[in-house]
């Protein structure tokens, strides 16, 4: 009697294709959920980094009874001792012998975010360079960098080129040159671009009466450029005032939030002061791709990308303003330098960006936050009734959150 072997049955081609199709559908359904979960984790990490900065600001205030100055550092002598006259000076103009009071408040809080090592390198003479050039004019044993370093654009000063993880948002993919050390967090200086660079000073000149009057009227934010402030100056309440805002760093793609348009002759500070939407109203943005500058308006190489210099207090690099709502364009005066501009809050998150309140709370505010009239003139030290000092912010809830003492208290949740 012969025993028959059982037949071995495998998958047919049709069954195999059906299984593959089902797996493909499941993967297609799963990937967005995985990506969303990853972004949620990155956003949480971003919020946590911001929270640590908030705690550092409060610890700094507890130690020194003031906020870290936004626009601090050293200043070389203008003239030999005894001569107080303003005038040209090679020592004054040098960007390597002193930081020229251009350092952001992020520099001052380094010891309070467990970055004591880099703070020691900044606050003491340093004989190291990123290029390792032992024969250079400065940054060597024979001629070290001075304490508090050079101005923040000097790539050969190691601290300025150092990426500090606590100052980054994981959702932002930007890295590497041409940036130095990047940052995704910037100080809030209020709802005006006037004197947003040097406060009561004119560039690197001594205290100026006219500039001081303008700064007193226009610099209404939690931080004031080159001026000491404290919690007591925040009359609207710490929980009602934005201390810092999130910013996206430039990826080299002509994003209107992170790059400056290349336009000759305009806009000037007078244009953007009278109409914050000047860049949008004058055809500088691509109508087919509204997140990018229009062809022909791109490629301004005089100004680097947003967030490229964590140590700089200049508005384009280290400040935010509550003028245009989150994720609107950057609009800057075209003098070839990164001074006065409308530099708002932005992020790589969907629909909004984080802000740090004065009390240390981190909030996520949407792009649709009530922002008043985006074409209204800024409050300024002039005789025009619509822009005179002391008026409420013309930029609605968004603008009022950026001012520290305009008697605009928010009762409802936002």
């Amino acid at each position: 009697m012969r025993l028959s072997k059982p037949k071995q049955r495998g998958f047919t081609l049709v069954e195999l294709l059906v299984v593959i199709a089902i797996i493909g559908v499941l993967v297609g359904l799963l990937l967005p959920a995985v990506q969303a979960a990853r972004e949620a984790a990155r956003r949480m990490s971003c919020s946590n980094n911001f929270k640590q900065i908030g705690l550092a600001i409060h610890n700094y205030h507890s130690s020194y009874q003031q906020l870290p100055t936004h626009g601090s550092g050293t200043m070389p002598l203008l003239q030999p001792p005894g001569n107080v006259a303003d005038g040209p000076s090679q020592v004054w103009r040098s960007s390597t012998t002193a930081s020229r009071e251009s350092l952001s408040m992020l520099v001052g809080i380094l010891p309070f975010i467990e970055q004591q090592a880099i703070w020691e390198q900044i606050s003491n003479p340093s004989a190291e360079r990123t290029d390792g050039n032992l024969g250079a004019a400065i940054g060597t044993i024979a001629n070290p960098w001075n304490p508090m370093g050079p101005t923040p654009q000097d790539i050969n000063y190691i601290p300025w080129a150092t990426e500090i993880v606590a100052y980054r948002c994981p959702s932002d993919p930007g890295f590497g040159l041409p940036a130095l050390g990047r940052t995704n967090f910037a100080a809030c200086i209020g709802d005006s671009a006037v004197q947003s660079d040097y406060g009561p000073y004119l560039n690197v000149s001594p205290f100026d009466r006219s500039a001081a009057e303008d700064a007193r009227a226009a610099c209404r934010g939690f931080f004031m450029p080159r001026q000491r402030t404290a919690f007591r100056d925040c009359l609207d309440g710490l929980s009602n005032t934005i201390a810092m805002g999130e910013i996206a760093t430039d990826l080299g793609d002509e994003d209107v939030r992170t790059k400056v348009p290349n336009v000759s002759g305009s806009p000037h500070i007078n244009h953007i002061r009278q109409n914050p939407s000047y860049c949008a109203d004058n055809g500088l943005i691509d109508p087919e791709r509204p997140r990018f500058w229009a062809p022909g308006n791109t490629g301004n190489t005089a100004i680097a990308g947003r967030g490229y210099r964590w140590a700089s207090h200049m508005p384009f690099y280290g400040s935010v303003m509550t003028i245009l709502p989150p994720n609107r364009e950057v609009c800057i005066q075209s003098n070839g330098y990164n001074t006065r501009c409308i530099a708002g809050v932005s992020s790589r998150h969907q629909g909004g960006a984080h802000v740090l309140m004065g009390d240390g709370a981190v909030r996520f505010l949407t792009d649709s936050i009530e922002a008043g009239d985006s074409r209204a003139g800024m409050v300024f030290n002039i005789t025009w009734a619509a822009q005179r000092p002391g008026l409420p912010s013309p930029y609605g809830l968004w603008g009022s959150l950026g001012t520290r003492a305009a008697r605009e208290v928010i009762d409802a949740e936002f």
Side-chain angles (χ1 to χ4, degrees), residues 173-192:
F175 71 96
L177 296 174
L180 275 71
R182 296 184 186 233
T183 181
N184 291 108
F185 307 116
C188 180
I189 57 175
D191 63 342
S192 178

Side-chain angles (χ1 to χ4, degrees), residues 46-52 54 354-357 359-364:
C46 184
S47 176
N48 288 339
N49 285 350
F50 221 173
K51 182 70 174 178
Q52 293 306 310
H354 290 105
V355 295
L356 173 70
M357 307 305 293
D359 63 353
V362 177
R363 304 287 184 88
F364 187 82

Side-chain angles (χ1 to χ4, degrees), residues 52 55-57 59-60 63-64 108-115:
Q52 293 306 310
L55 291 174
I57 292 173
N59 288 335
Y60 185 102
S63 299
Y64 302 109
I109 64 172
L110 284 171
F112 299 91
I113 58 166
E114 300 182 357
Q115 293 292 333

Side-chain angles (χ1 to χ4, degrees), residues 31-47 169-173 246 347-352 354 364:
L31 278 178
V34 172
Q35 291 173 346
R38 287 179 175 175
E39 171 54 26
R42 288 192 291 262
R43 180 169 153 180
M44 180 65 70
S45 178
C46 184
S47 176
C169 177
S171 296
D172 190 306
E246 185 180 359
S347 80
R348 301 293 174 184
H349 312 301
Q350 287 294 323
H354 290 105
F364 187 82

Side-chain angles (χ1 to χ4, degrees), residues 180-243:
L180 275 71
R182 296 184 186 233
T183 181
N184 291 108
F185 307 116
C188 180
I189 57 175
D191 63 342
S192 178
V194 177
Q195 294 303 120
S196 58
D197 44 9
Y198 303 115
Y201 301 87
L202 291 176
N203 197 347
V204 293
S205 301
F207 184 85
D208 179 83
R209 182 182 299 275
S210 176
E213 291 177 354
D214 292 345
R216 190 180 302 113
C219 298
R220 313 199 300 174
F222 190 83
F223 289 96
M224 302 170 67
R226 288 186 172 179
Q227 299 177 75
R228 294 182 179 180
T229 55
F231 288 158
R232 64 175 178 270
D233 299 312
C234 194
L235 303 183
D236 289 350
L238 298 179
S239 62
N240 291 312
T241 308
I242 294 175

